[in-house]
């Protein structure tokens, strides 16, 4: 059986999730969507993992698709056709 040794656990630094502002994400995504931009190079430069920037970019595209579909489904009164 393995037992936790308190002496080793007490000195370990606790890591917290970093939170990114919407403005930071928007600027990073806008730069990543430029023609010829390297997502990996941008992510490395700003200090995040490339998969995180790819995810933000995907979310931004999905958000654009859903908002354009919502607008296409609206009538003059602003309700969605069913």
């Amino acid at each position: 059986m393995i037992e936790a040794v308190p002496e080793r656990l007490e000195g370990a630094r606790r890591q917290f999730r970093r939170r990114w502002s919407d403005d930071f994400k928007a600027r990073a995504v806008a730069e990543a969507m430029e023609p010829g931009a390297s997502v990996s190079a941008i992510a490395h430069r700003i200090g995040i993992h490339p998969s995180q920037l790819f995810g933000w970019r995907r979310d931004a595209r999905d958000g654009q698709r859903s908002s354009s579909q919502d607008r296409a489904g609206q009538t003059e009164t602003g309700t969605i056709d069913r």
Side-chain angles (χ1 to χ4, degrees):
M1 176 186 281
I2 299 174
E3 294 182 28
V5 180
E7 295 83 40
R8 280 192 280 169
L9 299 176
E10 287 175 7
R13 286 185 39 204
R14 192 167 178 202
Q15 292 185 3
F16 296 101
R17 287 183 177 212
R18 294 189 290 180
R19 304 265 183 216
W20 305 106
S21 69
D22 291 339
D23 182 55
F24 178 84
K25 291 178 187 179
R27 287 182 296 163
V29 167
E31 187 176 347
M33 288 188 167
E34 292 284 326
S38 168
V39 173
S40 294
I42 295 166
H44 178 71
R45 183 173 47 77
I46 62 178
I48 64 172
H49 197 274
S51 65
Q52 191 168 25
L53 184 51
F54 276 112
W56 293 346
R57 193 175 70 165
R58 182 188 61 241
D59 292 345
R61 279 197 213 136
D62 290 347
Q64 288 175 349
R65 281 191 204 122
S66 67
S67 65
S68 65
Q69 289 172 351
D70 290 346
R71 279 180 271 154
Q74 291 181 350
T75 63
E76 291 179 17
T77 60
T79 58
I80 298 175
D81 294 334
R82 293 188 191 251

